[in-house]
Amino acid sequence: MKINMSSRPGPAAMKIAVIGQSLFGQEVYCHLREEGHEVVGVFTVPDKDGKADPLGLKADKDGVPVFKFPRWRARGQALPNVVATYQALGAELNVLPFCSQFIPMEIISAPRHGSIIYHPSLLPRHRGASAINWTLIHGDKKGGFTIFWADDGLDTGDLLLQKECEILPDDTVSTLYSRFLFPEGVKGMVQAVKLIAEGRAPRLPQPEDGATYEGIQKKETAQINWDQPAEAIHNWIRGNDKVPGAWTEACGQKLTFFSSTLSTEGLVPEGETLPIPGAHRPGVVTGAGLILFGNDDRMLLVKSIQLEDGKMIPASQLFRGADSTGLELTEEDLVTAEAVRGAWKRILPNVVEVEDSTDFFKSGAASLDVVRLVEEVKELCDGLELENEDIYMATTFGDFIQLLVRKMRGDNKESKCVIDHVEKTVNKLTLRMPHQLFIGGAFVDAEGAKTYETINPTDGSVICQVSLAQVSDVDKAVAAAKDAFEHGLWGKISARDRGRLLYRLADLLEQQQEELATIEALDAGAVYTLALKTHVGMSIQTFRYFAGWCDKIQGATIPINQARPNRNLTMTRKEPIGVCGIVIPWNYPLMMLSWKMAACLAAGNTVVIKPAQVTPLTALKFAELTLKAGIPKGVINVLPGSGSVVGQRLSDHPDVRKIAFTGSTEVGKRIMKSCALSNVKKVSLELGGKSPLIIFADCDLRKAVQMGMSSVFFNKGENCIAAGRLFVEDSIHDQFVQRVVEEVGKMKIGSPLDRDTSHGPQNHQAHLQKLVEYCQRGVKEGATLVCGGNQVPRPGFFFEPTVFTDVEDHMFIAREESFGPIMIISRFASGDVDAVLSRANATEFGLASGVFTRDISKALYVSDKLEAGTVFVNTYNKTDVAAPFGGFKQSGFGKDLGEAALNEYLRVKTVTFEY
């Protein structure tokens, strides 16, 4: 761990003796030298198993005298030769950053400025050698470190400097040390030396009020007491993680528990039970890990277990037993194995021969060596990323090589997922469609095995049974997404690697585009050729676009007023929000998923998505492709189900931090209310529309007719930005209507899989009925039905392309969208631009709009005045992945697509430094 500090020289350089060890001692030593002090000698521990301590190793390279006394005194008296060696250096201050040896007072008191020591607790609390452990075991809410003046007591010297930090609920010794005690401790030691050099270092007597002393934590004293609440058990486990390790007797052996958490919302204690002597209730081995119980019946979750033979396993695999079947290594694998064997030999110099049975840790490896092995493997295996936990899970060389080869082949057995496909031969393809919920990287049945039928709109037949998510399923999915965000690989990989995964996912979508387009035709009634180009084609483009953004999400540095005589640096960080809930409609099932999810994932979030209940199949096929792409488990979760159950629970869930919704304004309002009342979630909404299209007499009439048709009838009118009302200038109105009717007559209504079909079935039966009633109301109010207006007399949910004229502003069909293939045409007086703009804007919706004119000044004026998130000029439906998309007024807020979409899934943090 490298600590960045300013290198400006202190006011007075001192001669310093550094007494201690470890990387912490090395960092303190380095920064003292950078500050201009002279380190006259380093006293550290003797080499262990032929390996020098990092502090001594660095000092030796710098030419600083290094002394490795095995002891400093005998029979209670300082060794004269040791004292003489020390005194010859002429040190003015002793700095003890981390020291495991007992240093006699003859050394402590010798320098002019005395000696200062680092202690990892807020003294006088937790005096003793296991201070970090006891800080966690006692459940302290605040922790920190103390730098004090050494005396002849045990951590009782006068205080010089203290710094505190918050203890997080799942902190372990390692995380607390890495997050605060190490980096801030190094800075604190350097600051303390500076204060001494400046003559400003305080000496504050330690209060005895609140003082505690605890002994060294050892394995024999780390047994778990089960007769206490879950939080106390959790604190005991994390306080002993990783050394010495909290343990219990179970399964006829000692089991040591690691990676404990109280974050168990959504976890269901269902699985194989683990009887534990003395425990309030048996443990339960689940897919998430081992659930344990306190005497208050609260749960905690343990994710890793060390067996008595030293092997570390995921807690979820406790009852799976050892896998005796090893991979057969190829010649290339054997070459890699020998290269890795060489790395083990370099790290373990005391081991004469590295054999398959050689245990990494029993051979003398420490935590620093784990980091080194990870880096060596990355160099030897073309950038292969290992986690530290991988090494703890495969400690012998043979097991490690097996794990390594599985990862290189991409067939790590832990990532295998059993999928129960529904198979259908359609469009000269064999479709293989998942039909279960997708939670935590696995396809699973809904609670109670509940299902529903998804219907083919072309003929009304049942495609298959699909799992129907329940509230408990939402809780499980959110828990999986939360765990993936907070503890999983997704948050640890670099932004560039995240982009690489999204590029891979886009490639898989492209490879499967024919199957995906066929599923869209089967499940949503999308015309196959349109689905291939738009539904699927734009989905591929969207993921590629946002994959490129992953490593370009940047903050800023901001000049602020300086705190003279000091200076300030202020910067912003753009961070992912956390677990995001996405609720999408049924008109573009895969494309709506992609528009929202790609930006969400690029920003680094995890997702629970609810596809429309009537069109779940491409979302589930997409989930399968995420496994093939290598997206880590829990990052993406897919829950088919009803909005009133799944959508509502996502809106209410306290662990969901963002909701992105596309659908009706009415439902959008309910979502906003739920998000506000639950935990003030961030929200983005793309809601209803009644997009006006103004066609002036000076337009290119042929193009206006062509694009006017597309603006209404594209995707069967099931298009959020469809032109809900066309305003046609009086002088060309009749001619425009005539040409439109002629074009409507040429439209081919038929099966969406026929290549010459231009108009397929509406999405589902209820929507078809709504369109029939919409047209009936238009006729009743006095609008002229020029053509269409009826269901097509054939199986399935087909509706005739429809044209209404003489539509007046007060009519229902002038104010409300049909979301179907119904063209609403109104006249406006020739030359009256402001009047038609007033009519076009007289709506509570503002999603999109359009204007056709050859007059550039008029086009600019109208586009400026139209109150809509998108304005098309002499075109329509021209969306692009790089262009922001979203509405005004009751059409919602927030953006999909473009750089602006990323901001919907990011939070901005301001960080200010003083130096």
Side-chain angles (χ1 to χ4, degrees), residues 694 727 809 828-829 831-842:
I694 304 173
F727 294 92
D809 295 352
F828 70 93
D832 200 342
V833 176
D834 288 325
V836 73
L837 276 170
S838 177
R839 294 171 69 192
N841 287 329

Side-chain angles (χ1 to χ4, degrees), residues 42-365:
V42 165
F43 296 83
T44 188
V45 293
D47 296 354
K48 183 179 179 182
D49 296 326
K51 294 172 63 178
D53 182 80
L55 170 59
L57 201 62
K58 174 61 177 167
D60 192 54
K61 287 182 179 178
D62 292 338
V64 173
V66 177
F67 306 93
K68 302 178 181 181
F69 298 126
R71 58 180 179 166
W72 293 67
R73 62 179 189 165
R75 297 187 179 91
Q77 300 296 317
L79 296 173
N81 64 315
V82 173
V83 174
T85 301
Y86 168 79
Q87 289 176 338
L89 298 174
E92 299 173 305
L93 174 70
N94 291 332
V95 175
L96 285 73
F98 173 70
C99 183
S100 62
Q101 295 178 307
F102 190 92
I103 311 301
M105 286 304 297
E106 288 87 341
I107 303 296
I108 294 294
S109 304
R112 176 162 62 96
H113 293 294
S115 302
I116 60 171
I117 303 178
Y118 171 90
H119 186 79
S121 78
L122 297 173
L123 293 175
R125 189 162 173 79
H126 305 309
R127 294 168 176 167
S130 296
I132 311 177
N133 303 74
W134 289 105
T135 297
L136 297 171
I137 289 169
H138 283 284
D140 293 358
K141 302 303 180 186
K142 294 287 183 182
F145 63 84
T146 302
I147 297 168
F148 67 97
W149 298 95
D151 65 357
D152 58 356
L154 188 63
D155 301 334
T156 57
D158 292 344
L159 306 179
L160 192 163
L161 180 151
Q162 287 187 318
K163 290 188 178 181
E164 70 174 36
C165 69
E166 181 184 1
I167 305 295
L168 302 179
D170 289 339
D171 263 333
T172 63
V173 174
S174 297
T175 63
L176 181 57
Y177 184 70
S178 300
R179 176 170 58 83
F180 184 83
L181 296 176
F182 185 111
E184 294 303 318
V186 172
K187 296 174 186 177
M189 289 297 284
V190 175
Q191 182 184 352
V193 172
K194 180 180 178 183
L195 290 172
I196 294 169
E198 293 174 344
R200 298 189 298 115
R203 289 178 177 266
L204 306 174
Q206 282 194 41
E208 284 305 310
D209 184 33
T212 64
Y213 173 82
E214 296 94 2
I216 296 175
Q217 271 301 87
K218 298 180 179 179
K219 191 71 174 182
E220 57 266 27
T221 62
Q223 185 172 7
I224 299 169
N225 170 21
W226 294 103
D227 190 20
Q228 53 185 337
E231 184 174 0
I233 296 172
H234 164 66
N235 288 336
W236 183 261
I237 294 172
R238 69 182 179 133
N240 287 283
D241 186 337
K242 297 252 185 228
V243 177
W247 60 274
T248 191
E249 295 280 356
C251 298
Q253 63 174 314
K254 276 186 182 179
L255 299 181
T256 305
F257 296 151
F258 301 99
S259 301
S260 171
T261 178
L262 290 171
S263 300
T264 59
E265 183 169 354
L267 287 181
V268 179
E270 294 178 353
E272 194 164 352
T273 58
L274 173 68
I276 301 174
H280 181 65
R281 288 171 57 180
V284 181
V285 177
T286 73
L290 173 62
I291 294 177
L292 302 170
F293 298 89
N295 62 10
D296 56 355
D297 270 331
R298 284 189 63 198
M299 297 191 300
L300 62 144
L301 181 71
V302 166
K303 298 180 181 178
S304 299
I305 295 177
Q306 187 176 40
L307 305 178
E308 198 163 34
D309 63 5
K311 185 174 183 179
M312 187 87 77
I313 63 169
S316 60
Q317 298 180 18
L318 180 60
F319 292 125
R320 295 187 187 178
D323 183 6
S324 60
T325 60
L327 292 175
E328 185 175 342
L329 304 187
T330 64
E331 288 187 15
E332 186 177 353
D333 295 333
L334 291 170
V335 170
T336 300
E338 287 309 304
V340 175
R341 194 188 304 272
W344 277 52
K345 287 180 180 178
R346 290 190 293 275
I347 296 171
L348 306 171
N350 58 312
V351 176
V352 177
E353 191 65 40
V354 175
E355 300 175 344
D356 283 356
S357 60
T358 301
D359 187 283
F360 192 65
F361 296 103
K362 291 179 180 178
S363 300

Side-chain angles (χ1 to χ4, degrees), residues 494-672:
S494 69
R496 194 158 296 165
D497 285 339
R498 190 163 67 241
R500 181 174 51 81
L501 290 175
L502 295 186
Y503 275 123
R504 188 185 300 167
L505 180 56
D507 291 343
L508 287 168
L509 289 170
E510 188 169 51
Q511 291 169 22
Q512 300 291 320
Q513 60 183 325
E514 292 182 354
E515 183 175 10
L516 290 165
T518 302
I519 296 173
E520 292 274 274
L522 188 70
D523 200 27
V527 172
Y528 174 75
T529 50
L530 176 65
L532 203 58
K533 177 182 181 296
T534 302
H535 292 232
V536 181
M538 196 170 187
S539 298
I540 296 165
Q541 293 175 28
T542 303
F543 271 99
R544 286 199 174 126
Y545 175 80
F546 283 108
W549 267 110
C550 288
D551 61 356
K552 301 171 187 68
I553 298 172
Q554 302 169 348
T557 55
I558 303 169
I560 66 169
N561 288 337
Q562 305 289 356
R564 297 175 183 175
N566 292 337
R567 306 185 70 186
N568 294 102
L569 170 66
T570 293
M571 67 179 188
T572 58
R573 292 168 50 92
K574 291 185 177 181
E575 301 177 341
I577 296 171
V579 179
C580 297
I582 295 177
V583 181
I584 56 173
W586 41 259
N587 56 329
Y588 295 103
L590 184 62
M591 193 173 80
M592 290 294 98
L593 175 152
S594 303
W595 279 23
K596 296 186 187 300
M597 191 181 290
C600 181
L601 295 176
N605 300 286
T606 56
V607 183
V608 180
I609 187 167
K610 190 200 87 66
Q613 186 171 351
V614 293
T615 53
L617 296 182
T618 41
L620 293 171
K621 188 66 180 179
F622 170 85
E624 180 183 350
L625 296 181
T626 68
L627 292 175
K628 294 181 179 180
I631 305 293
K633 296 176 181 179
V635 172
I636 296 169
N637 304 271
V638 183
L639 300 180
S642 70
S644 60
V645 174
V646 179
Q648 187 63 54
R649 179 56 180 157
L650 285 173
S651 300
D652 292 336
H653 202 293
D655 288 334
V656 176
R657 294 295 172 185
K658 153 81 184 189
I659 290 288
F661 171 74
T662 294
S664 72
T665 299
E666 177 187 1
V667 174
K669 290 178 179 179
R670 292 205 297 267
I671 286 175
M672 278 191 71

Side-chain angles (χ1 to χ4, degrees), residues 637-714:
N637 304 271
V638 183
L639 300 180
S642 70
S644 60
V645 174
V646 179
Q648 187 63 54
R649 179 56 180 157
L650 285 173
S651 300
D652 292 336
H653 202 293
D655 288 334
V656 176
R657 294 295 172 185
K658 153 81 184 189
I659 290 288
F661 171 74
T662 294
S664 72
T665 299
E666 177 187 1
V667 174
K669 290 178 179 179
R670 292 205 297 267
I671 286 175
M672 278 191 71
K673 182 177 180 180
S674 296
C675 290
L677 293 175
S678 56
N679 60 347
V680 196
K681 292 176 177 64
K682 189 171 185 177
V683 185
S684 56
L685 304 171
E686 190 225 300
L687 307 177
K690 188 66 175 175
S691 301
L693 174 57
I694 304 173
I695 300 174
F696 288 99
D698 61 356
C699 70
D700 178 340
L701 188 58
R702 181 197 60 79
K703 187 176 183 182
V705 169
Q706 175 194 352
M707 300 308 297
M709 291 281 295
S710 175
S711 75
V712 175
F713 301 121
F714 188 83

